[in-house]
Amino acid sequence: MQILPETISAVRFGEPAGIRAAAEALRDAVRSLCGLRTAVTHNIASREPMRDGEGAVLASEVFGFHGGEPRWWEAPQLALSSPIVHACRVEAEPFWCNGHGFHTRLPNPLLDAIDLHDFRIRAMTAAALVVPIHLPFGQIAAASFLSPEKETNDLSQAYAHAADALAVLARAFVQSYVKVTERARPGLAGVSLTKREVECLRWAAAGKTNDEIGMILGLQRTTVRFHIRSASVKLDAVNRDQTLFKAAQLGFLGMIR
């Protein structure tokens, strides 16, 4: 399904004052496309809900989750227990899911390993069409699209009909939100590591000691320490663990095979 350029433009914004209108445009576009409800989080690891420029929570004020419904954005255990959240960590393309499994266009064995017991309780829905959104610095957002009928547990038709269009809209909205609201991470965007620094960090991330890394790469132990220390300085890290964490966030640990 193709989306009109003006529909995509409507869910993008460049300042906090535009958040609410863009959220309303996303909500209305989703209803028009497939009749589903919208639930969005800009960070599956954060308890802070998405808000408009005035501080109102979008989930209740725009997307319509209020009254006696579960306030999913106030459930701290969701990031730890929800199978949907777990799936977003290992899948980058749209999928739909229910208590019987995850459904994707291409197989993903990592999804098959996710525990689905008590799916409805843990996911707070009978079924969901989900767009994972992988952002810079390792942040993961997710847009879930739910049936207005709480007992509906089959979203295969909506997935086949509208998944790609929903992905375009959700990513445009969330990427705008993150750019407008997130604090800057000064200095990291321009970091450049050498091939040898990356090699040493990758083996360190695999649990190898400096001596072992030296044997693998044919380097002296002191040379390995030099490269890891050099990477730490570039990444403004205070220790080895933080160096590996920041390198992973920036994608360096997957660069060399």
Side-chain angles (χ1 to χ4, degrees):
M1 171 180 290
Q2 291 187 339
I3 312 172
L4 295 175
E6 52 265 35
T7 304
I8 300 174
S9 296
V11 302
R12 288 191 171 124
F13 50 94
E15 56 186 9
I19 294 174
R20 190 180 187 97
E24 292 171 347
L26 175 63
R27 175 199 63 198
D28 295 344
V30 172
R31 285 177 180 169
S32 177
L33 283 169
C34 55
L36 299 181
R37 306 175 71 190
T38 300
V40 189
T41 177
H42 66 300
N43 188 344
I44 62 172
S46 173
R47 295 178 60 181
E48 177 60 28
M50 299 179 78
R51 300 177 184 272
D52 67 15
E54 301 298 320
V57 175
L58 297 180
S60 57
E61 298 299 318
V62 175
F63 297 129
F65 292 87
H66 43 62
E69 295 184 277
R71 297 170 68 86
W72 51 266
W73 61 97
E74 292 182 350
Q77 75 277 9
L78 202 63
L80 299 176
S81 64
S82 172
I84 293 175
V85 173
H86 291 319
C88 288
R89 296 190 178 103
V90 299
E91 178 59 64
E93 294 300 317
F95 62 86
W96 79 271
C97 56
N98 58 18
H100 300 293
F102 294 91
H103 309 273
T104 57
R105 292 199 173 94
L106 295 175
N108 182 345
L110 295 174
L111 293 176
D112 297 336
I114 295 176
D115 180 9
L116 293 175
H117 85 276
D118 293 333
F119 178 91
R120 184 163 186 167
I121 295 173
R122 294 164 59 219
M124 296 187 176
T125 184
L129 194 167
V130 183
V131 176
I133 305 164
H134 291 253
L135 299 161
F137 303 103
Q139 183 169 323
I140 302 174
S144 297
F145 304 99
L146 317 173
S147 172
E149 302 297 327
K150 295 181 180 180
E151 300 305 314
T152 298
N153 70 349
D154 186 346
L155 296 177
S156 57
Q157 290 188 358
Y159 181 77
H161 175 68
D164 290 338
L166 295 176
V168 171
L169 293 173
R171 287 169 181 155
F173 175 74
V174 169
Q175 287 164 358
S176 294
Y177 184 89
V178 169
K179 287 179 179 179
V180 165
T181 63
E182 290 293 277
R183 293 179 297 173
R185 294 175 171 88
L188 285 182
V191 168
S192 177
L193 301 183
T194 67
K195 179 181 178 181
R196 191 61 89 187
E197 288 166 353
V198 172
E199 287 175 331
C200 290
L201 290 178
R202 285 193 67 242
W203 285 114
K208 302 299 182 181
T209 65
N210 288 349
D211 287 330
E212 291 170 331
I213 296 170
M215 292 179 62
I216 293 168
L217 299 179
L219 301 173
Q220 294 293 324
R221 179 177 184 274
T222 53
T223 305
V224 172
R225 286 188 61 189
F226 169 81
H227 287 306
I228 293 178
R229 176 58 182 164
S230 176
S232 296
V233 172
K234 291 179 180 179
L235 293 167
D236 192 28
V238 298
N239 55 36
R240 190 184 185 99
D241 288 343
Q242 190 181 41
T243 300
L244 295 176
F245 177 73
K246 288 190 173 184
Q249 283 188 312
L250 293 171
F252 285 116
L253 300 190
M255 290 179 63
I256 298 175
R257 298 293 178 189

